[in-house]
Amino acid sequence: MREARTIMLQGTASDVGKSVLTAALCRIFKQDGYRVAPFKSQNMSNNSYVTPDGKEIGRAQGMQADACGIEATTDMNPILLKPTKDMVSQVVVHGKPYRDLDARTYRERYLPQAEAIVKEALGRLRQRFDIVVIEGAGSPAEINLKERDIVNMRLAEWADAPVLLVADIDRGGVFASIVGTLELLEPHERERVRGVVINKFRGDVSLLQPGIDWLERRLGKPVLGVVPYLPQLGLEDEDSASLDGKGGKGLTAVAPAGSRPIDIAVLRYPRISNFTDVDALASEPDVRLRYVTDPREWGEPDAVVLPGSKNTAEDLLFLRETGLEAKLLAYAERGGRIAGLCGGYQMMGLRLLDPDGVESGRSVTEALGLLPQETTFAKEKRTVRVAGSIAAGEEGTVGLPVEGYEIHMGVTVNVGSVRPLVRLRTADDPEDERPDGAVSEDGRKFGTYVHGLFDNDAFRRSWLNAIRRDKGLGPASPETAYRDGRERSFDRLAAHVRRHLDVARIYRMLEGE
């Protein structure tokens, strides 16, 4: 049986668009009738995804599997690094936590083991599929990391994959970044790079052509395409670096604030995780979603979302030290709507208890006091897909079906009377229904461990319509289902990349030409 052909996308830096272009190629190959799978050997991200069998991988590889029309597995991202503090990450191996390691220990002691894990995972994928689209990480020209590299050029050699080098023109210095990256590669690595893709272009491509002609002469390699920036794509970002361009202004760059009457503030703390939980809100035509890192950006939100965190206690202290906690508590006192998701839910309780130092060196951290609960951090991580229905909350939401997934190491218990937000079942035991989350007495503040809660169309729209009622606005119906919209986004992305990338030449590369 012939092993799957491979192609690899590497970048001149992080956040140049490798993840999205990988998804585009995955969808293009699927449309053309191939069985295709994504692969990223090692991912560093707190934005994660739960596979159908309850394992944890990078969110980008879950999204790319969706683009392929297949279920995600841990073979697509066998090693996930989730930063917990400076220079320390939780190492997740095939979807399960291994241990927390500092950068030096991981590099010097664990990478030799990781190499075998990566090769075996890639080998299994190549037995099952026709094409594997491999995504690199950061830059292949990090001189200090190359010796033990398992994610860029050494991986390309193991997979015998032609490499496309992706550069982001939007950040400036695109020609220097391309030439500089290739100059720092070894001759055999440079030979493996078969072409260059210039990404996120804005403007008249004819004005860029003299630079492209010079670059091709300088490199002796083709520029396979100049891919224009594609706004409002509606697909998940890989990590919080992508939030830097969003800042506090949210979507106002593409729509006047007046055309989006619902203002939702998302608190962006340093170790924010699974911020894709709010993507469905951002996709709504009447929502202006913005990320807030400073009290001066608070404004007058109609609702505030506390997203997940990889270090809940430290991020809670960030809110306290910056003055955002005071803003939030004053907002709650005025009857403001607050939604806490996973780590954000834990912050809403009375106390965070960490007797074993699972997340931080603080054994007790006083929390926000918005819900009568306390959380104890456990050594075992819970990762599971769940489904159920809303048990209490805003008018119109009770009884609505919801589904999502859990990823957390905390156990939250009630220390007072409180209603659960949802009643849930797991795929492992669909008959066993249990409560999750909590809702304040006024129904305007809730927390839950369910990631993907706002992806549920009926719940999301009912919650937003409750906000509209408070503002004297009539109810709005969803124009499209969020998940259907993602499918259209994949097809839109594929069509866009087909127009601007030499796909025929890429197919020839896959055949070894």
Side-chain angles (χ1 to χ4, degrees):
M1 179 178 176
R2 179 181 178 182
E3 278 193 322
R5 291 161 287 174
T6 58
I7 191 160
M8 187 170 190
L9 284 79
Q10 297 184 22
T12 56
S14 296
D15 196 33
V16 299
K18 297 185 299 292
S19 296
V20 172
L21 287 174
T22 296
L25 288 181
C26 285
R27 179 50 65 107
I28 287 170
F29 296 147
K30 175 186 182 294
Q31 290 173 337
D32 292 348
Y34 293 95
R35 296 175 303 156
V36 57
F39 182 75
K40 185 164 185 173
S41 57
Q42 172 192 285
N43 200 344
M44 178 175 280
S45 175
N46 278 331
N47 231 19
S48 53
Y49 178 100
V50 172
T51 62
D53 60 348
K55 306 291 178 59
E56 186 179 10
I57 63 173
R59 186 78 192 178
Q61 282 62 64
M63 178 268 287
Q64 292 158 0
D66 290 343
C68 297
I70 58 175
E71 289 189 345
T73 72
T74 63
D75 279 342
M76 297 171 188
N77 176 213
I79 298 175
L80 174 63
L81 305 179
K82 303 191 74 176
T84 59
K85 59 187 76 171
D86 291 344
M87 301 300 292
V88 176
S89 291
Q90 181 186 67
V91 181
V92 178
V93 181
H94 275 298
K96 293 295 183 182
Y98 169 63
R99 63 179 58 172
D100 286 8
L101 296 175
D102 63 77
R104 182 176 294 278
T105 302
Y106 176 77
R107 175 170 168 73
E108 294 181 355
R109 299 184 185 177
Y110 189 72
L111 275 182
Q113 301 175 52
E115 181 175 320
I117 292 168
V118 165
K119 289 178 177 178
E120 290 167 4
L122 178 59
R124 285 189 292 269
L125 286 181
R126 295 188 71 183
Q127 292 297 318
R128 294 177 52 208
F129 294 94
D130 301 321
I131 300 173
V132 177
V133 185
I134 305 172
E135 179 186 345
S139 162
E142 304 291 352
I143 303 303
N144 57 314
L145 301 178
K146 288 179 65 173
E147 183 182 354
R148 291 186 173 92
D149 167 49
I150 64 167
V151 71
N152 283 315
M153 278 300 175
R154 289 179 75 220
L155 173 59
E157 292 174 6
W158 302 335
D160 194 23
V163 172
L164 308 183
L165 183 65
V166 181
D168 176 3
I169 195 171
D170 196 42
R171 65 179 62 195
V174 69
F175 297 114
S177 67
I178 293 168
V179 173
T181 297
L182 287 166
E183 283 294 322
L184 290 173
L185 297 181
E186 299 297 325
H188 68 280
E189 296 171 333
R190 198 176 304 124
E191 183 66 24
R192 190 165 289 281
V193 177
R194 302 293 303 281
V196 172
V197 179
I198 296 176
N199 197 27
K200 303 183 190 179
F201 181 71
R202 305 171 194 252
D204 183 350
V205 72
S206 67
L207 300 178
L208 189 64
Q209 193 59 50
I212 294 173
D213 294 340
W214 174 88
L215 189 64
E216 291 183 328
R217 290 194 301 270
R218 176 70 170 75
L219 302 179
K221 299 178 184 294
V223 174
L224 297 170
V226 177
V227 181
Y229 175 75
L230 187 59
Q232 297 292 281
L233 183 56
L235 296 176
E236 298 98 314
D237 293 317
E238 179 173 71
D239 55 45
S240 59
S242 62
L243 294 180
D244 292 337
K246 297 179 180 178
K249 296 182 179 179
L251 297 173
T252 54
V254 294
S259 69
R260 296 178 179 266
I262 298 176
D263 181 73
I264 297 179
V266 181
L267 300 193
R268 182 185 173 186
Y269 11 83
R271 293 168 181 84
I272 185 172
S273 68
N274 285 74
F275 59 85
T276 50
D277 281 336
V278 299
D279 282 358
L281 292 172
S283 73
E284 290 284 356
D286 58 347
V287 171
R288 175 178 180 248
L289 189 84
R290 54 194 177 86
Y291 288 87
V292 173
T293 60
D294 187 288
R296 292 170 293 183
E297 300 169 345
W298 187 266
E300 298 182 2
D302 297 305
V304 175
V305 177
L306 301 178
S309 166
K310 196 64 189 72
N311 192 318
T312 306
E314 294 298 325
D315 278 346
L316 177 57
L317 292 177
F318 167 82
L319 298 182
R320 193 158 290 160
E321 292 163 359
T322 59
L324 282 170
E325 179 189 47
K327 283 282 190 181
L328 182 67
L329 293 178
Y331 175 76
E333 185 67 24
R334 297 193 301 271
R337 282 184 173 82
I338 301 172
L341 305 173
C342 199
Y345 166 42
Q346 295 168 344
M347 293 181 194
M348 292 178 72
L350 299 174
R351 285 173 294 278
L352 304 174
L353 308 177
D354 195 358
D356 298 319
V358 173
E359 279 207 358
S360 71
R362 304 174 65 89
S363 58
V364 180
T365 304
E366 296 299 315
L368 296 169
L370 299 175
L371 297 171
Q373 298 179 305
E374 64 181 25
T375 297
T376 301
F377 294 107
K379 292 182 179 180
E380 293 296 318
K381 179 180 283 191
R382 178 177 174 83
T383 58
V384 65
R385 291 195 173 224
V386 294
S389 60
I390 299 295
E394 295 274 12
E395 177 185 347
T397 64
V398 177
L400 292 175
V402 294
E403 62 181 27
Y405 58 96
E406 296 181 34
I407 309 175
H408 57 95
M409 299 184 77
V411 177
T412 299
V413 298
N414 298 336
V415 293
S417 178
V418 67
R419 299 171 297 168
L421 176 71
V422 292
R423 300 200 69 84
L424 295 175
R425 303 175 303 278
T426 67
D428 293 338
D429 192 354
E431 300 302 318
D432 181 25
E433 193 173 69
R434 61 180 176 82
D436 173 84
V439 180
S440 64
E441 289 187 10
D442 63 7
R444 298 170 74 87
K445 294 173 279 294
F446 71 80
T448 179
Y449 277 120
V450 179
H451 290 286
L453 179 70
F454 289 118
D455 292 3
N456 294 276
D457 301 319
F459 170 77
R460 180 179 71 254
R461 180 37 59 187
S462 293
W463 185 70
L464 292 174
N465 278 340
I467 297 174
R468 291 179 69 91
R469 283 195 300 271
D470 280 2
K471 295 173 71 72
L473 301 171
S477 299
E479 293 184 357
T480 59
Y482 178 63
R483 290 181 176 86
D484 291 345
R486 287 181 80 253
E487 280 297 300
R488 283 190 290 276
S489 291
F490 285 131
D491 289 337
R492 177 183 171 218
L493 172 65
H496 179 74
V497 171
R498 277 189 195 270
R499 283 194 297 272
H500 300 285
L501 196 62
D502 191 345
V503 175
R505 194 161 188 169
I506 290 173
Y507 272 119
R508 293 197 296 273
M509 291 178 188
L510 285 168
E511 294 297 338
E513 294 183 16

